[in-house]
Amino acid sequence: MSLAEKIFGTHSEREFKRIVPVLDEIERHQTIMQSLTDEQLRDKTAEYKNRFANGETLEELLPEAFATVREAAKRVLNMEHFRVQLAGGIILHQGRIAEMRTGEGKTLVSTCPAYLNALEGKGVHIVTVNDYLAKRDAEWMGQVHEFLGLTVGVVLNGMTSEERRKAYNCDITYVTNNELGFDYLRDNMVIYKEQLVLRGLHYAIIDEVDSVLIDEARTPLIISGQSGKSTKLYEACDILARQMKRGEDMEEMTKMDAIMGVVKEETGDFIVNEKDKVVNLTQQGVEKVERFFQIDNYADPENLEIQHNVILALRAHNLMFRDQDYVVKDDQVLIVDEFTGRIMPGRRYSDGLHQAIEAKEHVKVKRESKTLATITFQNFFNKFDKKAGMTGTALTEEKEFRDIYYMDVVEIPTNRPVQRIDHQDSVYKTRKEKLNAIVEAVVEAHSKDQPVLVGTINIDASEELSKLLTKRGIEHKVLNAKFHELEAEIVADAGVHGAVTIATNMAGRGTDIKLDEISRRVGGLNIIGTERHESRRIDNQLRGRAGRQGDPGESRFYLSLEDDLMRLFGSEKMISMFNALGIPEGQEIQHSSLTKAIEGAQRKIESNNFGIRKNLLEYDQVNNEQREIVYEERRKVLDGESMRDVIYKYITDIVENSVDTAISDDSDPSAWELGELDQLLLPIVPLEPVTPERIQGLKKKDELKQKLKEEAVKLYEAKEAEFPEPEAIRELERVILLKVIDRKWMDHIDDMDQLRQGVGLQAYGQRDPLVEYKMSAYDMFDEMTQNIREDTVRLLLRVKVEQKVEREQVAKVTGTNKDDTATKEPVRRTEQKIYPNDPCPCGSGKKYKACHGRPGMKWEG
């Protein structure tokens, strides 16, 4: 603690003191609320809405509104907010993060700020981590809001658009972060305003905010369609990977080695760096790949795809492990969330890694996907006018919350003092000794009827421990986070005396573990951690399962020098020192330097992970600016705005660009490249060819521009006159513009994906990959907008009035999970005339006269 904190108190203590007067005022209103009938209490909602409409602020209404909710919860749920819960509610209303210990009743805390902000009539989203919690909280806490006359909705996986729209139109909506993010992306792919399901992003209260905004922020939300690439290369590379031999790990080069010119000998075909999760081929490995694929030069740019897929296959075999990173079920590879241990159906690894794992496990290799829409959680949640969060563990990540989400963390004191005892870590030399010690600790606690919760970091570890306990005849339950409802039930029973529960670290999060009387007498819940997680936060969450609301409890972590965390990130000197001491088997090692080394290793990884998230955000920031422009343009079309002025600007811009490209500023009219001008302009705007006779008397380039602009505008006016109803051409403009924007934007996202994958190579040329990415991205976006202008005008000037035009989706989306899949539908075309020099509509890239325009050929699209 710094000197300033000793004198003035911590940030949280100072902030808590500030809200004490507001808490006193809420309690003064409580006596009035208690005297009201149910009907009078319900009428308060209409009264507050009127007062807000007449100019009172939410801050002025807060004390009465909070007192109203407190009284309603008491009558409906027989639960009354503690003073600290009201404090948490005030922090949430202010758009900050309330850190409240496990068991302090965070679910009830959200009711007050949700009710207060719902009075604005713009909707409140309460975001949870899974469908089970969203449904449970909507049914449970929703009773309080419905009693007070507000509407409550819940959005679950598998719901129809109509059901979603109805839920989002409620005053308060319970929804998971994934469903909310995907609904935002899907809303920006619809073709009619009536198909939108969201009604704006006003105020979000995020439950388990660290899980949503930190843990899940490393993976962006992606809606994807299938690409046409073959899957055979994945299978070939898998065969090759099985034949290749892993070399010995090479120690990192020290500065002294570099100065002394030490050359380290490579062994095997490839080397794995587990710390950075990287695989590199050795010279021997490169030669093996060249022989296998019968290529001359592995490094040739033509072999980029082979390079990429060989590394993917080696990563799949050496860095991705079954029943740890993924499981295989029903002929599918399903990802396991590293933080929660939960299976994530529908989610796939990107960049071809999922296909490489499918090839490794001999299940059907699905085609690689093409990104249609994507956004990161960082950019998505920053779109809310106001957002707040609550969790049991956020202080360790406060810097990230401030830097990326502009939210500070306020620690709320517990209602009763914490009585849990956190023991020092028990460290053993080998993994086997550690597991034996854990089993002995469980047997000892079980013999005195103390309930035990064993937290493991993956499914594999929990199943291994389960076998050892079964051998000792200890009855227990194993929770692998496959079924949320069942999981919550089992976790809730973990506090019963004599219960032994093995669970992946985060299973059953959001469910309270209540102790019975015998459990309290024998020391409360005993938490045993089988390994330290990469993040200190996850360790604290496991510890926080015990000692809720002043209950007794204890926690201890068991580690070994062979654990991944120690092996990869611990100090090698320290590990070799303990190995050299000749500690007898089964003896516990206790040393202050060990605890420091463990925390140091965790800090290293946390900082590394923060770097990954920040890097992802920096790259997505470029996409975000472009996404905002495109989605805003789409929204104008959906809102039925007239696009006439936009189309006229497109036409004049095209004329201007064509003239600027073909003709230099100071050139004489006799030297103007009219042929080049015709080639650029006429395929888009079908004017009469620009001949010397047509430009007689023109002296300057600007005069030529003006003449051609007037002709192009007249041509479009003539096209407008062909339509009997003015609204028909206005709708046609919207139809074509929407179709062109969607197709070009989807191609652009996919191109940006490819650019992102290749831009890392710029570092070898001493260039900053991010700067190069930004520059290329802006050039590509300019090119995309230019293509949108040209394609829209080309189609509009060639359309014939023969059929009713209807909007159609460029890519139809099916499924609702992360990394959604979409299938391409054939796009109905409006009738159009094709000129010989036009690009062929079949997409070959050739001119029409050289492709489908040849004698005997015809384009039937």
Side-chain angles (χ1 to χ4, degrees):
M1 191 183 280
S2 67
L3 181 62
E5 283 179 339
K6 282 178 185 170
I7 298 168
F8 303 112
T10 63
H11 168 69
S12 294
E13 286 165 349
R14 292 196 303 274
E15 292 303 315
F16 193 79
K17 278 178 193 164
R18 277 185 193 166
I19 59 175
V20 167
V22 186
L23 293 172
D24 294 340
E25 204 179 332
I26 294 168
E27 291 186 330
R28 278 198 295 275
H29 283 288
Q30 201 61 41
T31 47
I32 304 164
M33 297 302 163
Q34 285 165 351
S35 64
L36 300 176
T37 64
D38 286 0
E39 198 60 45
Q40 288 170 324
L41 197 62
R42 194 171 293 117
D43 290 342
K44 282 283 176 189
T45 302
E47 179 198 318
Y48 298 147
K49 283 183 177 179
N50 284 334
R51 282 162 60 184
F52 178 75
N54 292 328
E56 269 193 64
T57 64
L58 292 182
E59 279 64 32
E60 290 167 331
L61 292 170
L62 187 149
E64 287 176 75
F66 273 41
T68 306
V69 177
R70 191 186 199 187
E71 183 59 28
K74 191 176 170 185
R75 294 184 193 187
V76 177
L77 303 174
N78 199 23
M79 295 166 84
E80 187 173 7
H81 295 70
F82 298 125
R83 194 175 160 93
V84 289
Q85 288 176 311
L86 295 172
I90 295 168
I91 295 298
L92 293 180
H93 165 66
Q94 292 170 346
R96 305 157 94 179
I97 292 171
E99 178 175 295
M100 302 180 76
R101 295 285 180 97
T102 308
E104 290 294 304
K106 289 188 284 291
T107 314
L108 186 63
V109 170
S110 65
T111 52
C112 292
Y115 172 79
L116 176 65
N117 284 271
L119 299 173
E120 287 186 273
K122 293 178 182 175
V124 172
H125 295 98
I126 297 182
V127 183
T128 65
V129 287
N130 61 54
D131 274 358
Y132 162 70
L133 289 177
K135 188 169 184 284
R136 184 200 73 175
D137 294 353
E139 288 169 359
W140 185 21
M141 295 298 146
Q143 296 173 63
V144 177
H145 299 302
E146 284 167 350
F147 175 81
L148 291 170
L150 295 179
T151 53
V152 177
V154 61
V155 176
L156 304 170
N157 194 329
M159 277 188 167
T160 64
S161 295
E162 194 49 53
E163 289 168 326
R164 287 167 187 271
R165 196 172 301 113
K166 193 178 168 193
Y168 284 124
N169 278 325
C170 291
D171 295 310
I172 294 165
T173 308
Y174 287 83
V175 59
T176 67
N177 50 322
N178 282 346
E179 292 301 320
L180 184 59
F182 280 128
D183 282 334
Y184 169 77
L185 288 177
R186 278 190 290 260
D187 267 4
N188 285 292
M189 292 172 75
V190 302
I191 52 174
Y192 286 103
K193 194 178 179 181
E194 298 70 43
Q195 295 170 333
L196 295 169
V197 297
L198 283 166
R199 60 159 173 162
L201 304 172
H202 179 56
Y203 176 51
I205 297 174
I206 306 164
D207 192 10
E208 309 297 4
V209 67
D210 55 319
S211 181
V212 174
L213 297 188
I214 304 282
D215 299 340
E216 299 222 13
R218 277 161 67 181
T219 329
L221 289 165
I222 297 169
I223 290 182
S224 55
Q226 286 189 345
S227 77
K229 280 171 75 176
S230 163
T231 58
K232 293 292 174 204
L233 187 57
Y234 292 107
E235 288 157 13
C237 289
D238 181 66
I239 293 165
L240 174 63
R242 289 171 194 277
Q243 298 169 11
M244 296 179 87
K245 217 171 95 193
R246 178 171 173 171
E248 288 172 27
D249 294 350
M250 289 175 70
E251 288 177 25
E252 286 179 32
M253 291 269 283
T254 63
K255 284 180 187 172
M256 185 53 73
D257 289 342
I259 293 164
M260 300 299 289
V262 174
V263 178
K264 303 217 169 175
E265 197 64 42
E266 291 180 333
T267 58
D269 298 320
F270 62 93
I271 289 163
V272 180
N273 178 342
E274 288 184 57
K275 196 186 284 189
D276 297 327
K277 295 193 167 32
V278 173
V279 176
N280 289 308
L281 292 184
T282 61
Q283 188 53 42
Q284 184 181 312
V286 168
E287 287 163 11
K288 195 172 251 188
V289 174
E290 287 173 345
R291 282 198 303 277
F292 184 86
F293 284 105
Q294 297 178 343
I295 53 178
D296 296 329
N297 181 7
Y298 174 75
D300 197 303
E302 281 180 15
N303 301 322
L304 210 58
E305 205 173 346
I306 289 174
Q307 295 166 27
H308 181 61
N309 282 43
V310 167
I311 296 298
L312 282 178
L314 292 170
R315 276 179 65 196
H317 279 275
N318 296 279
L319 291 169
M320 307 303 292
F321 302 105
R322 188 169 176 163
D323 290 336
Q324 187 173 322
D325 300 299
Y326 63 90
V327 294
V328 178
K329 189 180 169 192
D330 303 332
D331 202 33
Q332 284 186 71
V333 170
L334 302 171
I335 300 179
V336 173
D337 187 321
E338 63 176 305
F339 294 100
T340 64
R342 289 199 174 104
I343 287 172
M344 303 189 287
R347 209 181 285 192
R348 292 175 66 80
Y349 292 114
S350 60
D351 202 18
L353 180 58
H354 210 95
Q355 285 80 357
I357 296 170
E358 286 169 335
K360 166 192 167 184
E361 296 296 344
H362 300 302
V363 302
K364 187 178 186 306
V365 180
K366 290 186 182 169
R367 285 201 168 177
E368 220 173 305
S369 52
K370 176 182 177 177
T371 304
L372 303 178
T374 176
I375 194 168
T376 58
F377 277 127
Q378 290 103 316
N379 274 321
F380 173 64
F381 279 104
N382 280 341
K383 288 183 186 304
F384 277 88
D385 300 331
K386 181 166 81 171
K387 59 188 176 299
M390 46 188 182
T391 177
T393 45
L395 271 178
T396 53
E397 314 290 347
E398 185 173 17
K399 185 181 181 325
E400 186 163 349
F401 283 123
R402 278 179 187 273
D403 291 356
I404 289 176
Y405 299 104
Y406 320 111
M407 301 157 87
D408 64 333
V409 179
V410 178
E411 203 176 355
I412 306 293
T414 53
N415 188 43
R416 292 178 185 156
V418 177
Q419 290 188 43
R420 187 186 68 242
I421 303 159
D422 295 329
H423 299 289
Q424 207 172 343
D425 297 346
S426 292
V427 186
Y428 293 85
K429 197 172 157 189
T430 65
R431 195 165 177 280
K432 185 184 163 197
E433 291 168 55
K434 175 187 80 171
L435 288 172
N436 290 338
I438 291 169
V439 171
E440 290 307 323
V442 173
V443 169
E444 189 189 330
H446 189 64
S447 66
K448 57 179 186 181
D449 257 357
Q450 186 180 15
V452 181
L453 176 66
V454 184
T456 64
I457 68 165
N458 56 48
I459 294 172
D460 225 9
S462 56
E463 286 174 354
E464 185 181 8
L465 205 57
S466 171
K467 283 174 190 164
L468 293 172
L469 288 177
T470 306
K471 272 185 189 171
R472 294 292 295 270
I474 301 287
E475 227 179 280
H476 60 279
K477 288 177 179 170
V478 181
L479 245 186
N480 281 342
K482 289 177 187 173
F483 311 103
H484 297 154
E485 286 87 346
L486 183 68
E487 173 184 307
E489 219 173 280
I490 294 173
V491 168
D493 292 342
V496 176
H497 66 279
V500 176
T501 312
I502 301 175
T504 43
N505 275 354
M506 299 293 299
R509 187 170 180 176
T511 309
D512 271 347
I513 298 176
K514 291 184 175 130
L515 303 179
D516 59 18
E517 211 39 60
I518 300 171
S519 299
R520 278 196 182 86
R521 280 204 304 273
V522 294
L525 183 64
N526 185 350
I527 300 281
I528 292 177
T530 61
E531 208 168 313
R532 284 286 202 133
H533 197 275
E534 287 183 355
S535 162
R536 288 170 295 166
R537 241 177 342 101
I538 308 282
D539 292 343
N540 293 340
Q541 278 157 7
L542 181 63
R543 278 205 172 107
R545 286 305 184 74
R548 60 177 290 285
Q549 287 293 331
D551 282 342
E554 58 183 301
S555 74
R556 186 190 295 272
F557 279 86
Y558 288 79
L559 316 174
S560 83
L561 298 181
E562 293 176 350
D563 289 351
D564 285 351
L565 189 75
M566 296 299 291
R567 191 168 56 81
L568 299 176
F569 295 93
S571 151
E572 285 180 22
K573 273 185 193 167
M574 185 195 68
I575 292 172
S576 52
M577 178 187 82
F578 283 117
N579 284 332
L581 286 174
I583 296 159
E585 191 173 329
Q587 188 178 320
E588 187 182 336
I589 309 167
Q590 280 196 336
H591 199 281
S592 58
S593 67
L594 265 175
T595 313
K596 277 183 197 159
I598 291 158
E599 293 209 339
Q602 285 179 313
R603 277 201 189 91
K604 251 189 223 173
I605 300 173
E606 281 168 14
S607 136
N608 193 23
N609 288 342
F610 174 48
I612 292 170
R613 289 189 291 269
K614 202 164 181 197
N615 192 41
L616 176 72
L617 180 64
E618 283 171 342
Y619 278 96
D620 192 59
Q621 207 57 50
V622 182
N623 298 26
N624 198 48
E625 288 160 16
Q626 299 179 356
R627 191 186 298 121
E628 294 286 314
I629 295 165
V630 171
Y631 285 178
E632 195 182 329
E633 202 63 32
R634 270 193 113 260
R635 197 59 192 254
K636 284 180 192 168
V637 178
L638 287 185
D639 288 342
E641 286 184 28
S642 169
M643 293 289 121
R644 188 173 189 264
D645 292 346
V646 173
I647 302 300
Y648 274 94
K649 187 165 184 336
Y650 281 3
I651 292 170
T652 54
D653 282 353
I654 288 165
V655 170
E656 195 144 329
N657 289 344
S658 301
V659 174
D660 283 340
T661 307
I663 295 166
S664 57
D665 286 335
D666 51 358
S667 61
D668 188 79
S670 59
W672 286 352
E673 292 283 351
L674 301 182
E676 190 185 338
L677 179 58
D678 279 355
Q679 280 180 335
L680 288 170
L681 184 60
L682 302 195
I684 306 164
V685 183
L687 298 170
E688 292 297 317
V690 185
T691 59
E693 294 76 40
R694 282 191 64 207
I695 61 162
Q696 245 178 351
L698 299 182
K699 302 270 191 302
K700 291 181 181 171
K701 188 167 93 169
D702 285 349
E703 292 173 8
L704 175 63
K705 277 184 188 174
Q706 192 54 38
K707 177 181 169 63
L708 293 176
K709 279 181 191 175
E710 284 169 10
E711 286 183 12
V713 165
K714 276 183 188 158
L715 189 68
Y716 192 63
E717 284 170 350
K719 183 60 67 183
E720 284 180 306
E722 290 176 22
F723 287 78
E725 293 290 325
E727 186 44 42
I729 180 102
R730 299 290 81 88
E731 175 62 6
L732 177 70
E733 287 166 350
R734 289 191 283 268
V735 168
I736 288 179
L737 190 54
L738 202 58
K739 190 183 286 186
V740 173
I741 286 175
D742 283 353
R743 187 170 297 142
K744 296 293 176 192
W745 174 240
M746 286 169 189
D747 288 344
H748 177 71
I749 292 173
D750 208 46
D751 292 345
M752 293 279 278
D753 247 9
Q754 306 295 327
L755 172 67
R756 171 83 195 274
Q757 286 164 26
V759 82
L761 299 170
Q762 296 286 349
Y764 292 116
Q766 304 300 305
R767 291 175 177 171
D768 182 342
L770 182 61
V771 172
E772 294 297 318
Y773 178 77
K774 283 180 179 176
M775 286 163 66
S776 300
Y778 285 125
D779 290 345
M780 285 162 65
F781 189 70
D782 278 348
E783 192 182 327
M784 181 197 78
T785 50
Q786 170 83 359
N787 289 338
I788 288 173
R789 281 198 292 268
E790 290 178 2
D791 283 15
T792 305
V793 171
R794 183 187 290 119
L795 284 166
L796 279 169
L797 287 171
R798 285 168 174 75
V799 77
K800 285 189 177 177
V801 192
E802 285 180 15
Q803 63 180 76
K804 187 185 173 192
V805 286
E806 290 178 4
R807 301 186 200 180
E808 287 217 19
Q809 220 160 357
V810 171
K812 189 177 179 186
V813 180
T814 55
T816 53
N817 283 315
K818 200 153 186 180
D819 216 331
D820 276 17
T821 53
T823 53
K824 286 288 180 75
E825 279 202 337
V827 178
R828 192 182 307 138
R829 295 175 179 274
T830 43
E831 186 66 35
Q832 63 183 70
K833 190 176 179 187
I834 307 167
Y835 289 81
N837 284 330
D838 282 358
C840 188
C842 73
S844 65
K846 297 177 185 172
K847 288 186 178 174
Y848 180 63
K849 66 183 181 187
C851 192
H852 278 83
R854 298 198 313 275
M857 297 281 284
K858 194 183 174 198
W859 173 247
E860 296 288 355

